[in-house]
Amino acid sequence: MSTPYPFTAVVGQTDLRLALLLNAVSPAVGGVLVRGEKGTAKSTAVRALSTLLPQVDVVPGCRFSCAPVAPDPDCPDGPHEAGPGGARPARMVELPVGASEDRLVGALDIERALAEGVKAFEPGLLADAHRGILYVDEVNLLHDHLIDLLLDAAAMGASYVEREGVSVRHAARFLLVGTMNPEEGELRPQLLDRFGLTVEVAASREPAQRVEVVRRRLAYEDDPAGFAARWSGDEHEVRARVVAARALLPQVRLGDNALLQIAATCAGFEVDGMRADIVMARTATALAAWAGRTTVLKEDVRQAALLALPHRRRRNPFDAPGLDEDKLDQILDQFPDEEPQDEPDPEPDPGTDPEPDPDGGPENPQGPDDGGGPDGGGVPPQGGGPQDAQPPAEPAEAPADAPEGAPQSPAQEAGGPEQAAVRAAEPFRTKMLSVPGLGEGAAGRRSRARTAHGRTTGAQRPRGQLTKLHLAATVHAAAPHQKARGRTGRGLVIRKDDLRQATREGREGNLVLFVVDASGSMAARQRMSAVKGAVLSLLLDAYQRRDKVGLITFRGAAAELALPPTSSVDAAAARLEKLPTGGRTPLGSGLLKAREVLRIERLRDPSRRPLLVVVTDGRATSAGAVGGDPRELTARSARLLAADGVASVVVDCESGPVRLGLAGALAADLGGPAVTLDGLRADSLAGLVKDVRTAVTTPATHTTRRAA
């Protein structure tokens, strides 16, 4: 077994280490979600935490880690008699993003259960994590059905495995720790709320701190055992402090004044539900115990709010997580300080590095720093809530593109006089976009697809391990052979060839690729604001339906992939908000760029079906680097996309009393419908997409339709 990186050797990351240690002191806090960019020691710090947890007493031979003093009466390996047991280190079980349901909850041998009546159960990761840590790296990429199982187990403290009337239950109480990079997509609100605390991490920008990170990491890689030995003293002291804080925890008093502060804070930030209040109370109590106190102070409540509330105050998917510390102080200042009574000698402030100083060890004689962990990183200031930013200056009405063939300055050809970005109009709710036919893409909530979960639509012979038994089809397959198999009793004689796998139909996510005209003719203030509002509305819908999104813009002489296809609609919304305008209209280049992006994505993920949304007035005034006639290039590019079977929608942004109808012609070449900018109201934009099925003449697997 490889030697883990010492927890106390992590450079800086004060909030991350504190949040992990508070959960070690009080697992009831509910786990930690660590958000941050790549290479910021997220995984390293979490994996090092397990070495600081006290050992666990277990019943010898029990695969489900039952406690000897109070064994689980429903344990599949039971019943156990109370008595002395053995001790083992607390486990840290890692859940891979691509894990199967059986790997998570365990697998039941259906063949033996039907033929022999035996519950032959192989425990999964939830059983291994009982009384330990369940760690999910890249938790935001976890499949929805695995997230649902995690939520159920975390809420009930138990895991249930059901297979056609045969069930197994076992205890599953664990500390849930997840790490994620927000650029790759956000978490569902239900799972986000399940994490007790959240911490934002970022790489340090201080050269000295980064040097210390590299120095320690290289020393660890050269001699892991020797490096760990140099930090063993610090590890032992922190481990002893965790044990002492656990012992002190039941004596900590959470007074009425502290409870009022917690309630006022949660109410002031308008968090949903009561879980935030409960988590803050548990966190403040753990902070007091970690500091060696038996009374919760205002400083504990404040620190608890900074850890427990940022991820619970988001009102919509595009809100940045964070907390307004000035507002927090205003709320807490309404309450008087509560002086502790008969307190022991004060311990260091809970928000500082634990003693002994993990940054003042043998490799850093200068003392602590605020740098990152072994992979780099530092801790940004707490907060980061919405700022009272002034809206950008509204640009003047931009002129339309110059007529084709008119002379252009080099600046105009390369991008033209760039106009300042305008704010998007208020988003609205859209009806569901869906792709007809039956896909096999990633799990989501948009189009019909063959999935591992959903309603049963039929049966087939299993391809590999049986996971979802179709009981009626299995009995039907076995029934004709009972006499030949010598059946004498009441039970059926089941053979492996009789087993049938249930086929199920659920929903998949799709790729929604936006191609947005950012040329000078689109720079009119009201027009661009309405266009951004419409695209933002569809982005909100994509977030809710677990789609991938991409953004292409075209202006001047070329098209640009502003955002490669990603699950992070936050990133798409941010790029859209800052989108500048100006210059000529290389519409054909934008369509060719879209075709290239879709070709590459088809190779990466052939099962994910796309929908192309083109937002333009239809004018083509530049052929870009391709050369030739701009209108001919546009028509040819559109017909290529249609031949590829790409379902497309054109949002016509042309305005004024005289309209050329160019966007309608583009839609005809693409084989999809068009809608005018004047019709961009809540129902009209959604109604646009429901009509795609009547306008697209490409094969059924590539068109879109309105949901039933």
Side-chain angles (χ1 to χ4, degrees), residues 190-209:
Q190 297 93 327
L191 183 60
L192 195 64
D193 187 54
R194 184 62 62 184
F195 287 97
L197 310 179
T198 186
V199 177
E200 296 277 342
V201 296
S204 171
R205 299 298 183 258
E206 292 294 330
Q209 297 166 1

Side-chain angles (χ1 to χ4, degrees), residues 373-391:
D375 297 320
V379 181
Q382 283 288 347
Q387 303 296 319
D388 296 329
Q390 295 296 323

Side-chain angles (χ1 to χ4, degrees), residues 482-483 485-493:
Q482 296 305 297
K483 184 175 180 180
R485 293 173 182 175
R487 171 187 169 187
T488 57
R490 298 178 59 186
L492 286 174
V493 180

Side-chain angles (χ1 to χ4, degrees), residues 279-351:
V279 171
M280 273 191 65
R282 290 171 175 166
T283 305
T285 303
L287 282 162
W290 178 248
R293 289 185 269 101
T294 58
T295 300
V296 174
L297 304 180
K298 183 187 296 185
E299 63 192 69
D300 300 324
V301 174
R302 186 182 191 278
Q303 183 65 51
L306 293 174
L307 294 173
L309 295 188
H311 60 302
R312 292 186 167 92
R313 58 154 295 277
R314 297 183 64 170
R315 309 312 298 177
N316 68 64
F318 301 143
D319 285 342
L323 212 63
D324 187 337
E325 294 194 46
D326 291 336
K327 181 177 179 180
L328 175 61
D329 291 333
Q330 291 175 4
I331 294 173
L332 294 179
D333 286 344
Q334 301 173 16
F335 300 89
D337 292 324
E338 186 171 321
E339 294 296 334
Q341 298 177 357
D342 300 326
E343 292 292 342
D345 292 337
E347 293 285 342
D349 186 274

Side-chain angles (χ1 to χ4, degrees), residues 16 71 78 95 164 175 246 263 267 329 334 343-344 384 466 556 606 657 672 704:
L16 170 57
L95 173 62
E164 303 297 341
L175 176 64
R246 278 193 174 190
D329 291 333
Q334 301 173 16
E343 292 292 342
L466 178 70
T704 63

Side-chain angles (χ1 to χ4, degrees), residues 56-60 62 65-72 80-87 131:
V56 178
D57 293 328
V58 297
V59 173
C62 178
S65 303
C66 284
V69 295
D72 183 3
H80 304 299
E81 294 184 1
R131 304 176 67 196

Side-chain angles (χ1 to χ4, degrees), residues 77-375:
D77 284 354
H80 304 299
E81 294 184 1
R88 64 161 175 79
R91 291 174 180 159
M92 195 209 72
V93 177
E94 188 162 352
L95 173 62
V97 170
S100 65
E101 178 182 344
D102 286 344
R103 184 71 185 100
L104 177 63
V105 301
L108 194 65
D109 192 328
I110 302 298
E111 186 175 3
R112 291 188 63 191
L114 290 177
E116 305 173 28
V118 177
K119 291 184 181 180
F121 181 69
E122 183 66 27
L125 296 178
L126 290 180
D128 294 340
H130 179 46
R131 304 176 67 196
I133 302 173
L134 181 62
Y135 170 49
V136 188
D137 193 15
E138 305 295 349
V139 63
N140 51 325
L141 304 182
L142 201 63
H143 289 173
D144 277 359
H145 71 282
L146 295 182
I147 289 178
D148 293 335
L149 292 171
L150 275 181
L151 290 174
D152 291 341
M156 297 183 294
S159 175
Y160 293 85
V161 182
E162 300 282 349
R163 291 293 188 273
E164 303 297 341
V166 181
S167 63
V168 173
R169 174 211 171 275
H170 64 82
R173 291 182 293 275
F174 48 82
L175 176 64
L176 183 60
V177 180
T179 57
M180 61 174 283
N181 184 346
E183 294 178 355
E184 297 172 341
E186 281 293 347
L187 281 176
R188 286 169 49 188
Q190 297 93 327
L191 183 60
L192 195 64
D193 187 54
R194 184 62 62 184
F195 287 97
L197 310 179
T198 186
V199 177
E200 296 277 342
V201 296
S204 171
R205 299 298 183 258
E206 292 294 330
Q209 297 166 1
R210 299 174 75 98
V211 165
E212 185 61 28
V213 169
V214 175
R215 182 183 292 119
R216 294 189 189 185
R217 187 67 195 187
L218 294 179
Y220 169 73
E221 292 177 351
D222 289 342
D223 183 10
F227 183 82
R230 291 196 294 274
W231 291 89
S232 59
D234 296 338
E235 294 279 291
H236 175 75
E237 292 185 29
V238 173
R239 191 179 299 112
R241 187 175 176 187
V242 170
V243 173
R246 278 193 174 190
L248 182 62
L249 188 64
Q251 306 173 35
V252 176
R253 182 175 65 88
L254 185 64
D256 290 342
N257 191 53
L259 285 172
L260 284 173
Q261 293 171 6
I262 291 171
T265 301
C266 293
F269 283 101
E270 300 180 347
V271 295
D272 297 329
M274 294 299 298
R275 182 173 284 120
D277 302 65
I278 297 171
V279 171
M280 273 191 65
R282 290 171 175 166
T283 305
T285 303
L287 282 162
W290 178 248
R293 289 185 269 101
T294 58
T295 300
V296 174
L297 304 180
K298 183 187 296 185
E299 63 192 69
D300 300 324
V301 174
R302 186 182 191 278
Q303 183 65 51
L306 293 174
L307 294 173
L309 295 188
H311 60 302
R312 292 186 167 92
R313 58 154 295 277
R314 297 183 64 170
R315 309 312 298 177
N316 68 64
F318 301 143
D319 285 342
L323 212 63
D324 187 337
E325 294 194 46
D326 291 336
K327 181 177 179 180
L328 175 61
D329 291 333
Q330 291 175 4
I331 294 173
L332 294 179
D333 286 344
Q334 301 173 16
F335 300 89
D337 292 324
E338 186 171 321
E339 294 296 334
Q341 298 177 357
D342 300 326
E343 292 292 342
D345 292 337
E347 293 285 342
D349 186 274
T352 62
D353 294 336
E355 293 292 336
D357 182 4
D359 295 327
E363 295 216 4
N364 188 15
Q366 269 75 25
D369 58 34
D370 295 322
D375 297 320

